[in-house]
Amino acid sequence: MSGVEILDNGTQVLTTPRATFGTDALLLGRFAQPRRAEWALDLCSGCGIISLLWHDAGHRGFCTALELDPDASALCVQAVAENGIDHITPVQGDLRTFCAAGPEQGRYGFAACNPPYFTAGPQSPDPVRAAARHTVTCTTEDVAQCARRALRDGGRFVLCQRPDQLVEVLCALRAARLEPKRLAFVRQRAGSTPWLFLVEAQKGRKPGLKLEPDILIESGVARYGK
């Protein structure tokens, strides 16, 4: 049974216990956004929260919401229909093969991914939950290479991940010609240990990383709705 979450400007997001969203998705969707008419790509889109958040903020360019899990992708299809949105296209597919060939290569100006976080440790017996949380079907390198294929030169890519994966992420981005340009750590409050970071990279650009102020959850940055 699906639930409904309402974003700031009235856009409805449909969720289920197996396809929901958290603070990390909200922060990622707000850290950087596509320009109003820019082609955008939402990787590991789940229920479509990031695509729908961009829409709620005013994005009206073509947007692909790519998700491996068919049930989550179907939920995004339903949300797009119920909101009367015609510029978001949910696609059920594997990012490891997306844009491997064809006219969509290099056509996107902006992309984002909220990837699985865990490379080891206990996994859920539910294969859907396991795939969403562990890198069994989606590694950092897979994500970076997909973004490289999809983005035009100068296109932007944003990603969130746990701080213990920072070096791996930065190396994977550079290996894919995605130069890290902005980096911010997320903390519950000032002085607490970071539990997430957000990074924005640009395809084919020169080095030059800007460390941005910490994002503090207690300041209300993850709130939404009226």
Side-chain angles (χ1 to χ4, degrees):
M1 186 173 185
S2 61
V4 180
E5 300 290 335
I6 309 296
L7 300 179
D8 295 339
N9 296 306
T11 303
Q12 297 183 23
V13 183
L14 304 184
T15 66
T16 66
R18 299 176 81 194
T20 185
F21 65 89
T23 298
D24 51 354
L26 295 168
L27 297 178
L28 179 66
R30 292 167 175 166
F31 181 63
Q33 297 185 347
R35 299 177 182 90
R36 181 175 175 82
E38 196 168 36
W39 274 45
L41 175 60
D42 178 9
L43 299 172
C44 301
S45 63
C47 65
I49 172 59
I50 291 176
S51 300
L52 294 167
L53 190 151
W54 291 339
H55 169 82
D56 194 68
H59 180 243
R60 295 298 181 268
F62 179 80
C63 181
T64 299
L66 183 69
E67 170 56 41
L68 182 63
D69 175 38
D71 292 335
S73 186
L75 205 61
C76 184
V77 170
Q78 184 181 353
V80 165
E82 293 192 7
N83 283 287
I85 298 171
D86 60 8
H87 67 97
I88 297 176
T89 301
V91 174
Q92 192 271 311
D94 193 327
L95 61 76
R96 291 172 294 185
T97 57
F98 184 73
C99 279
E104 285 195 327
Q105 278 196 328
R107 295 194 68 181
Y108 292 90
F110 191 87
C113 185
N114 184 2
Y117 289 160
F118 301 104
T119 58
Q123 293 187 20
S124 170
D126 181 343
V128 173
R129 292 182 183 275
R133 293 175 60 82
H134 286 78
T135 57
V136 290
T137 59
C138 174
T139 66
T140 300
E141 290 76 15
D142 293 333
V143 170
Q145 290 300 326
C146 180
R148 176 191 61 79
R149 295 192 301 268
L151 289 171
R152 59 171 171 76
D153 279 347
R156 296 175 294 151
F157 176 55
V158 292
L159 176 76
C160 61
Q161 186 53 275
R162 290 158 49 96
D164 60 3
Q165 299 295 313
L166 177 59
V167 173
E168 178 185 353
V169 167
L170 296 182
C171 289
L173 291 174
R174 273 198 161 174
R177 295 185 57 238
L178 301 170
E179 186 61 37
K181 305 299 286 185
R182 297 170 58 221
L183 174 68
F185 290 97
V186 179
R187 305 174 190 266
Q188 182 64 28
R189 63 187 66 85
S192 63
T193 301
W195 60 272
L196 190 77
F197 71 84
L198 301 161
V199 62
E200 178 182 346
Q202 272 192 292
K203 182 177 177 179
R205 290 299 184 254
K206 295 180 180 179
L209 178 63
K210 177 183 178 182
L211 185 60
E212 305 224 333
D214 290 342
I215 297 170
L216 305 178
I217 298 300
E218 288 191 352
S219 70
V221 292
R223 295 175 186 155
Y224 64 92
K226 301 297 182 183

